Amino acid sequence: MKRTLEQALAALEAQIRTWVSSPARPEIRVFPYPPEWEPVMLGRIGELAGRLKGEGQHLEVEDVGRGFLAVLEQKAPLVDRLARSEGGSEQQVVHDLGVLASRYLEELFRRPLRPDAVCRVVVNTGALATVLSYSAVLNGLHGARGERGPGGPTIVALPGEADDRSLNLLGLRKDTNYRTARI
């Protein structure tokens, strides 16, 4: 049975409140929802962050689309060199962007939370859907601790489908090998 938007948001808030009441070891959870909910969900996650902030509980909301764009802008000379050296090979460009995106996400997930933050919520994940496999990045962090593991409790808002065995982001790529708990 599919859940409603309100049920999904209630599950998200319950997970965050669990971490508030008993601080968790760093872990990553996937929060899947239908892709057509994306615009509404982005607004509602922002509202939830604002409401919790009013209660003294801070969420770090990270937009990976904007964050990755900032990384690319910082590495503009590198990106230009890659584009020139690949001589129009679209596959190679996508591969290289995927490598850069994977490194960006790994660094984001490993970065320690601000001292006042309960958890990190990663949004706009569809922005990187065509260049990387989220399950590969998440599996690389699964079970890792210390500097190799997540920097704090993290929720990956995923416009797609997920069950206990597979993850399907925006209907673009079905990853059947992931170990990350879902909300």
Side-chain angles (χ1 to χ4, degrees), residues 16-37:
I16 292 168
R17 290 195 183 277
T18 297
W19 286 331
V20 167
S21 64
S22 58
R25 68 172 199 235
E27 66 176 315
I28 298 175
R29 299 223 172 196
V30 173
F31 174 57
Y33 51 84
E36 60 270 18
W37 292 2

Side-chain angles (χ1 to χ4, degrees), residues 113-136:
L113 292 175
R114 292 186 338 229
D116 65 342
V118 173
C119 70
R120 176 178 295 124
V121 181
V122 179
V123 299
N124 195 14
T125 55
L128 303 180
T130 59
V131 296
L132 67 80
S133 166
Y134 277 92
S135 65

